[in-house]
Amino acid sequence: MTELQDGVSFVVPVYNKAPYLPHVIQAIRNQAGDFAREYIFIDDGSSDDSLDIVRRLTAGWDSVVIHAQANHGSAHATNQGIARARMAFIKFVDADDLLTDRATITLLECLRDSPACLAFGRRAAYDTIEGLSLKTDAMRPATRLIARPLKSALRNSFFNPTQILVRTRCAQETGGCDERVVHSQEYSLALRLARCWPFLDVDALITLRPREVPGSLGTSQARQLRRVTLACAYFLHDHPDIEAGLQRFACRRAAGRAWKYARRHLGSGYGSRWFRLMLQSYLAPRSNASGFIEACAAAFEAAPARPQALG
């Protein structure tokens, strides 16, 4: 493997984010701290002016990589950034999220002293950019080491990409994001990392996200739930050695999520397939946890076409 330099690679997947990019790029540029840095922008086939904006606003910067490609989805774009990173740490940035001024240095200082593979902080939402302040206090926040984060990761996603700083070698060794889940990069990456190393929870505001993002894939609850459920199914398929108790927990979580959604949004009753799956998740161990969880994902049929089924 290529020897990594001590510093931070900012990895920014971009797809049709022209209205947000000027503020996002400026917030990246304004990151406080005395550390080496490089900037990696992956334009994933934008059809608006996103690529031109990135090129124009980063002209003259040192250590900028701009990679333009056909649209493959955020997981693939993120992996392209991970593969190109030359620094020891990666700071992911969604192209509509704003970093607070000390976000990177805060996470970096905490993670350096920790056995964790990543550090994550807090996020908040904003309604309008006018008058918004990204200034934060220069102080060492409280931290909490999560020694065995996999069960918590199977329950819920810890973070969105902009909340985290990751050790580059860890992201590369685990294979990055699962590209079978095209538009949910952070959850599959979190599962892969949580299987191997601790996480560090940092009590500091790291990012501000617009409350409403028109056209965002994340605005559909059904699509998001389906992506999370499939990511879990694929993860267990790839790692059948995960202890039986965690596999049973993942099955109960997926079935309960599917039943709750079907009851509220599809009008499903107690005789439905989704209620039966929920009962089955408690009544007996699953011999094929990944297949069971994939079946639960079918409750969210409002989502886009399904990825290729597990073998």
Side-chain angles (χ1 to χ4, degrees):
M1 285 188 173
T2 303
E3 184 176 352
L4 298 171
Q5 303 173 40
D6 186 26
V8 176
S9 298
F10 291 86
V11 171
V12 190
V14 178
Y15 178 70
N16 289 351
K17 296 297 184 181
Y20 303 96
L21 279 169
H23 297 288
V24 170
I25 291 172
Q26 188 61 51
I28 293 172
R29 186 64 163 171
N30 289 346
Q31 287 299 284
D34 182 18
F35 55 87
R37 56 193 81 187
E38 68 171 351
Y39 309 94
I40 303 171
F41 295 86
I42 309 296
D43 185 83
D44 192 40
S46 294
S47 58
D48 63 2
D49 296 331
S50 291
L51 182 56
D52 290 339
I53 291 171
V54 170
R55 287 171 171 162
R56 174 170 54 83
L57 294 182
T58 61
W61 290 21
D62 294 330
S63 302
V64 176
V65 175
I66 301 173
H67 173 71
Q69 63 181 32
N71 180 254
H72 291 290
S74 58
H76 180 274
T78 300
N79 283 345
Q80 291 296 305
I82 292 172
R84 287 168 169 77
R86 298 178 301 163
M87 299 293 176
F89 300 90
I90 293 175
K91 183 69 196 78
F92 295 110
V93 183
D94 274 355
D96 49 17
D97 287 354
L98 300 173
L99 290 174
T100 57
D101 63 334
R102 297 189 58 81
T104 306
I105 190 60
T106 297
L107 294 176
L108 182 61
E109 289 178 346
C110 293
L111 187 56
R112 282 192 192 279
D113 299 332
S114 167
C117 65
L118 66 81
F120 68 96
R122 306 289 177 258
R123 70 171 175 172
Y126 70 88
D127 293 307
T128 179
I129 197 72
E130 286 75 19
L132 188 67
S133 175
L134 299 176
K135 296 292 184 182
T136 54
D137 294 333
M139 57 185 295
R140 186 66 176 256
T143 62
R144 177 175 65 97
L145 184 70
I146 307 173
R148 301 185 65 187
L150 183 53
K151 184 173 183 178
S152 295
L154 288 167
R155 177 183 294 112
N156 285 310
S157 177
F158 279 98
F159 38 68
N160 87 336
T162 316
Q163 291 174 255
I164 66 175
L165 181 79
V166 183
R167 295 185 189 274
T168 303
R169 189 67 73 206
C170 295
Q172 293 175 344
E173 286 181 4
T174 56
C177 310
D178 188 340
E179 295 182 21
R180 292 168 294 185
V181 188
V182 178
H183 298 296
S184 187
Q185 70 272 36
E186 72 275 11
Y187 190 60
S188 61
L189 178 61
L191 289 173
R192 291 176 173 185
L193 293 170
R195 173 176 169 266
C196 301
W197 298 285
F199 288 1
L200 188 68
D201 183 359
V202 178
D203 188 16
L205 180 62
I206 299 301
T207 178
L208 295 170
R209 180 172 181 80
R211 198 178 305 278
E212 299 291 337
V213 182
S216 171
L217 291 169
T219 60
S220 168
Q221 182 189 29
R223 289 178 177 178
Q224 185 62 19
L225 289 172
R226 187 168 175 280
R227 290 194 292 265
V228 167
T229 305
L230 285 174
C232 183
Y234 295 158
F235 172 75
L236 292 179
H237 176 267
D238 293 342
H239 302 287
D241 58 328
I242 296 296
E243 62 184 84
L246 285 180
Q247 293 196 38
R248 288 193 296 271
F249 173 80
C251 289
R252 291 195 298 269
R253 181 66 174 148
R257 184 186 291 128
W259 162 237
K260 182 178 180 180
Y261 179 85
R263 185 180 59 191
R264 289 185 174 181
H265 299 282
L266 306 179
S268 299
Y270 293 103
S272 69
R273 175 189 182 189
W274 316 116
F275 182 69
R276 291 196 300 272
L277 284 173
M278 191 272 292
L279 289 179
Q280 290 170 21
S281 72
Y282 282 89
L283 293 176
R286 308 284 3 130
S287 59
N288 179 14
S290 60
F292 180 86
I293 293 172
E294 188 182 11
C296 294
F300 313 112
E301 286 302 326
R306 298 173 68 180
Q308 182 178 351
L310 295 171

Short mmCIF file of all heavy atoms in Angstrom, two decimals, residues 143-166:
data_model
loop_
_atom_site.label_atom_id
_atom_site.label_comp_id
_atom_site.label_asym_id
_atom_site.label_seq_id
_atom_site.Cartn_x
_atom_site.Cartn_y
_atom_site.Cartn_z
N THR A 143 -15.35 13.30 25.19
CA THR A 143 -15.40 12.20 24.24
C THR A 143 -15.84 10.92 24.96
O THR A 143 -15.70 10.79 26.18
CB THR A 143 -14.04 11.95 23.57
OG1 THR A 143 -13.08 11.58 24.57
CG2 THR A 143 -13.55 13.19 22.85
N ARG A 144 -16.34 9.98 24.15
CA ARG A 144 -16.76 8.67 24.69
C ARG A 144 -16.32 7.60 23.70
O ARG A 144 -16.74 7.62 22.54
CB ARG A 144 -18.27 8.64 24.88
CG ARG A 144 -18.82 7.29 25.37
CD ARG A 144 -20.31 7.40 25.64
NE ARG A 144 -21.07 7.66 24.42
CZ ARG A 144 -21.68 6.71 23.70
NH1 ARG A 144 -21.61 5.44 24.04
NH2 ARG A 144 -22.36 7.05 22.62
N LEU A 145 -15.49 6.67 24.16
CA LEU A 145 -15.06 5.57 23.30
C LEU A 145 -16.13 4.49 23.29
O LEU A 145 -16.56 4.01 24.35
CB LEU A 145 -13.73 4.99 23.81
CG LEU A 145 -13.14 3.89 22.92
CD1 LEU A 145 -12.65 4.47 21.60
CD2 LEU A 145 -12.01 3.16 23.65
N ILE A 146 -16.55 4.11 22.10
CA ILE A 146 -17.50 3.00 21.92
C ILE A 146 -16.67 1.80 21.49
O ILE A 146 -16.30 1.65 20.32
CB ILE A 146 -18.57 3.35 20.88
CG1 ILE A 146 -19.25 4.68 21.24
CG2 ILE A 146 -19.61 2.24 20.79
CD1 ILE A 146 -20.21 5.19 20.19
N ALA A 147 -16.33 0.95 22.45
CA ALA A 147 -15.37 -0.12 22.20
C ALA A 147 -15.90 -1.16 21.23
O ALA A 147 -15.15 -1.70 20.42
CB ALA A 147 -14.98 -0.77 23.53
N ARG A 148 -17.20 -1.45 21.30
CA ARG A 148 -17.80 -2.45 20.41
C ARG A 148 -19.05 -1.82 19.77
O ARG A 148 -20.17 -2.01 20.25
CB ARG A 148 -18.16 -3.71 21.19
CG ARG A 148 -16.97 -4.38 21.87
CD ARG A 148 -17.35 -5.68 22.52
NE ARG A 148 -17.76 -6.68 21.53
CZ ARG A 148 -18.26 -7.87 21.84
NH1 ARG A 148 -18.43 -8.22 23.11
NH2 ARG A 148 -18.58 -8.72 20.89
N PRO A 149 -18.87 -1.10 18.70
CA PRO A 149 -19.98 -0.31 18.15
C PRO A 149 -20.92 -1.07 17.22
O PRO A 149 -21.91 -0.50 16.76
CB PRO A 149 -19.25 0.79 17.37
CG PRO A 149 -17.98 0.15 16.94
CD PRO A 149 -17.59 -0.79 18.04
N LEU A 150 -20.66 -2.35 16.93
CA LEU A 150 -21.43 -3.01 15.86
C LEU A 150 -22.91 -3.14 16.20
O LEU A 150 -23.77 -2.89 15.34
CB LEU A 150 -20.84 -4.39 15.55
CG LEU A 150 -21.51 -5.14 14.39
CD1 LEU A 150 -21.57 -4.29 13.13
CD2 LEU A 150 -20.79 -6.46 14.12
N LYS A 151 -23.25 -3.51 17.43
CA LYS A 151 -24.67 -3.66 17.76
C LYS A 151 -25.40 -2.33 17.61
O LYS A 151 -26.51 -2.27 17.06
CB LYS A 151 -24.85 -4.20 19.17
CG LYS A 151 -26.32 -4.46 19.51
CD LYS A 151 -26.48 -5.14 20.86
CE LYS A 151 -27.95 -5.45 21.14
NZ LYS A 151 -28.12 -6.16 22.45
N SER A 152 -24.77 -1.26 18.07
CA SER A 152 -25.40 0.06 17.93
C SER A 152 -25.53 0.45 16.47
O SER A 152 -26.51 1.06 16.06
CB SER A 152 -24.58 1.11 18.69
OG SER A 152 -24.60 0.86 20.08
N ALA A 153 -24.53 0.09 15.66
CA ALA A 153 -24.60 0.39 14.23
C ALA A 153 -25.70 -0.41 13.55
O ALA A 153 -26.35 0.08 12.62
CB ALA A 153 -23.25 0.11 13.57
N LEU A 154 -25.92 -1.64 13.98
CA LEU A 154 -27.01 -2.44 13.43
C LEU A 154 -28.37 -1.90 13.82
O LEU A 154 -29.35 -2.09 13.11
CB LEU A 154 -26.88 -3.90 13.90
CG LEU A 154 -25.73 -4.69 13.27
CD1 LEU A 154 -25.51 -5.99 14.03
CD2 LEU A 154 -25.99 -4.97 11.79
N ARG A 155 -28.41 -1.19 14.95
CA ARG A 155 -29.68 -0.62 15.40
C ARG A 155 -30.03 0.64 14.58
O ARG A 155 -31.13 0.77 14.08
CB ARG A 155 -29.60 -0.25 16.88
CG ARG A 155 -30.88 0.42 17.40
CD ARG A 155 -30.75 0.84 18.86
NE ARG A 155 -30.65 -0.32 19.74
CZ ARG A 155 -29.56 -0.64 20.44
NH1 ARG A 155 -28.46 0.11 20.36
NH2 ARG A 155 -29.55 -1.69 21.23
N ASN A 156 -29.09 1.55 14.46
CA ASN A 156 -29.31 2.82 13.77
C ASN A 156 -27.99 3.35 13.24
O ASN A 156 -26.92 3.03 13.78
CB ASN A 156 -29.90 3.88 14.72
CG ASN A 156 -31.35 3.66 15.03
OD1 ASN A 156 -32.17 3.49 14.14
ND2 ASN A 156 -31.69 3.65 16.32
N SER A 157 -28.08 4.20 12.23
CA SER A 157 -26.89 4.87 11.73
C SER A 157 -26.42 5.89 12.78
O SER A 157 -27.23 6.63 13.35
CB SER A 157 -27.20 5.58 10.41
OG SER A 157 -26.08 6.28 9.95
N PHE A 158 -25.12 5.93 13.02
CA PHE A 158 -24.56 6.87 13.99
C PHE A 158 -24.52 8.30 13.45
O PHE A 158 -24.60 9.26 14.20
CB PHE A 158 -23.11 6.48 14.31
CG PHE A 158 -22.95 5.39 15.32
CD1 PHE A 158 -22.74 4.09 14.92
CD2 PHE A 158 -23.00 5.66 16.68
CE1 PHE A 158 -22.56 3.07 15.85
CE2 PHE A 158 -22.83 4.66 17.62
CZ PHE A 158 -22.60 3.35 17.19
N PHE A 159 -24.32 8.45 12.13
CA PHE A 159 -23.91 9.75 11.61
C PHE A 159 -24.18 9.83 10.12
O PHE A 159 -24.43 8.83 9.45
CB PHE A 159 -22.41 9.96 11.84
CG PHE A 159 -21.59 8.71 11.64
CD1 PHE A 159 -21.43 8.13 10.39
CD2 PHE A 159 -20.98 8.09 12.72
CE1 PHE A 159 -20.69 6.98 10.21
CE2 PHE A 159 -20.22 6.93 12.56
CZ PHE A 159 -20.08 6.37 11.30
N ASN A 160 -24.13 11.08 9.60
CA ASN A 160 -24.03 11.24 8.15
C ASN A 160 -22.55 11.48 7.84
O ASN A 160 -21.73 11.68 8.74
CB ASN A 160 -24.95 12.37 7.66
CG ASN A 160 -24.30 13.74 7.71
OD1 ASN A 160 -23.38 14.00 8.47
ND2 ASN A 160 -24.82 14.63 6.90
N PRO A 161 -22.13 11.43 6.57
CA PRO A 161 -20.69 11.48 6.27
C PRO A 161 -19.98 12.71 6.81
O PRO A 161 -18.81 12.63 7.22
CB PRO A 161 -20.66 11.44 4.74
CG PRO A 161 -21.91 10.72 4.35
CD PRO A 161 -22.93 11.16 5.36
N THR A 162 -20.64 13.86 6.79
CA THR A 162 -19.96 15.10 7.17
C THR A 162 -19.65 15.16 8.67
O THR A 162 -18.84 15.97 9.10
CB THR A 162 -20.79 16.32 6.75
OG1 THR A 162 -21.28 16.11 5.42
CG2 THR A 162 -19.97 17.59 6.76
N GLN A 163 -20.25 14.29 9.45
CA GLN A 163 -20.01 14.29 10.89
C GLN A 163 -18.73 13.56 11.28
O GLN A 163 -18.34 13.61 12.44
CB GLN A 163 -21.19 13.62 11.61
CG GLN A 163 -22.48 14.41 11.57
CD GLN A 163 -23.62 13.63 12.18
OE1 GLN A 163 -24.48 13.13 11.48
NE2 GLN A 163 -23.64 13.52 13.49
N ILE A 164 -18.06 12.88 10.34
CA ILE A 164 -16.99 11.98 10.75
C ILE A 164 -15.63 12.34 10.17
O ILE A 164 -15.52 12.97 9.12
CB ILE A 164 -17.32 10.52 10.38
CG1 ILE A 164 -17.37 10.32 8.85
CG2 ILE A 164 -18.61 10.09 11.02
CD1 ILE A 164 -17.57 8.88 8.43
N LEU A 165 -14.61 11.92 10.89
CA LEU A 165 -13.23 11.88 10.43
C LEU A 165 -12.76 10.44 10.57
O LEU A 165 -12.92 9.84 11.64
CB LEU A 165 -12.33 12.81 11.25
CG LEU A 165 -10.87 12.87 10.83
CD1 LEU A 165 -10.70 13.79 9.61
CD2 LEU A 165 -9.99 13.37 11.99
N VAL A 166 -12.21 9.86 9.52
CA VAL A 166 -11.89 8.43 9.48
C VAL A 166 -10.40 8.25 9.21
O VAL A 166 -9.80 9.00 8.43
CB VAL A 166 -12.70 7.73 8.36
CG1 VAL A 166 -12.42 6.23 8.35
CG2 VAL A 166 -14.18 7.98 8.54
#
